[in-house]
Amino acid sequence: MLENARGRKSSREKILDAAAELVAEIGAGRLTLEAVAERAGLSKGGLLYNFPTKDALLQAMIQRMIDQVAEAREALRAQIGPGPNLEARVVTTSLLNMYCGGKMQEIATGMMAAAAENPRLLDPVRQVISATVEQIKTSSDDAESALLGWLAVQGLSNLEMHNLSPFSDEDRERIVGMINRLLTKGIAP
């Protein structure tokens, strides 16, 4: 998060934090600029200076989530050991970490609801997904296994993000283990 020289958050970051809290609590559809300004401790004018519309605020929230995922991927890349399908392993691990429980899950769900009203809000996400798929295809030792693993994690993450998963914690662990084996050992002939 951006902070000024004295260690305080910028107005923009305060607004994004306040909006994320509200989206997690009440959903993006019920989010108002007035409520965000109040939660951030700013005037509505101060909020409008940074985000002139609710869509601009939602776009900034989505971009911040994209940036957080990119940062998480870079941190994971340094931790995950070398081996086959490195990019797919980094992407799948970051997806599982991001969507499975916690505040990010609630915010992502709220953002999806907002995108139902304005599908263009997800254009940056579509671009990231396209770039990710292309990167997995071109950097993988076994592109078929890498794409299948990525798709499996997308499905699992989406079920969990929307609280629709029929899987127990044990089931989930087994599924994640199977995905990891797929990415490291490939599809058996």
Side-chain angles (χ1 to χ4, degrees), residues 111-180:
M111 298 310 295
M112 292 297 286
E117 292 178 25
N118 183 354
R120 291 177 319 164
L121 288 174
L122 292 181
D123 285 347
V125 176
R126 287 182 189 90
Q127 291 169 356
V128 168
I129 290 171
S130 292
T132 298
V133 167
E134 196 56 37
Q135 190 172 20
I136 288 172
K137 284 180 183 178
T138 59
S139 69
S140 296
D141 303 310
D142 178 359
E144 289 177 345
S145 295
L147 287 172
L148 187 58
W150 177 79
L151 283 169
V153 168
Q154 283 288 352
L156 182 62
S157 297
N158 278 294
L159 286 172
E160 291 179 353
M161 180 174 64
H162 297 293
N163 293 319
L164 297 172
S165 179
F167 302 115
S168 68
D169 289 343
E170 295 80 25
D171 291 337
R172 183 186 187 280
E173 284 183 39
R174 280 194 305 278
I175 292 166
V176 170
M178 287 185 280
I179 293 167
N180 287 332

Side-chain angles (χ1 to χ4, degrees), residues 21-64:
E21 290 171 10
L22 286 167
V23 166
E25 290 172 18
I26 63 172
R30 295 178 37 204
L31 183 74
T32 66
L33 295 179
E34 292 81 8
V36 174
E38 182 178 326
R39 176 73 59 102
L42 300 169
S43 68
K44 187 173 178 188
L47 182 140
L48 292 173
Y49 175 80
N50 288 282
F51 304 103
T53 65
K54 181 177 172 180
D55 276 357
L57 175 59
L58 293 172
Q59 286 171 332
M61 291 176 70
I62 289 170
Q63 186 59 53
R64 183 163 82 162

Side-chain angles (χ1 to χ4, degrees), residues 69-83 85-94 97 131-132 135-136 139:
V69 170
E71 289 172 16
R73 282 185 188 176
E74 289 309 310
L76 278 170
R77 192 170 277 110
Q79 294 173 6
I80 292 179
N85 300 319
L86 175 63
E87 191 60 30
R89 289 185 292 130
V90 167
V91 168
T92 57
T93 301
S94 66
N97 291 344
T132 298
Q135 190 172 20
I136 288 172
S139 69

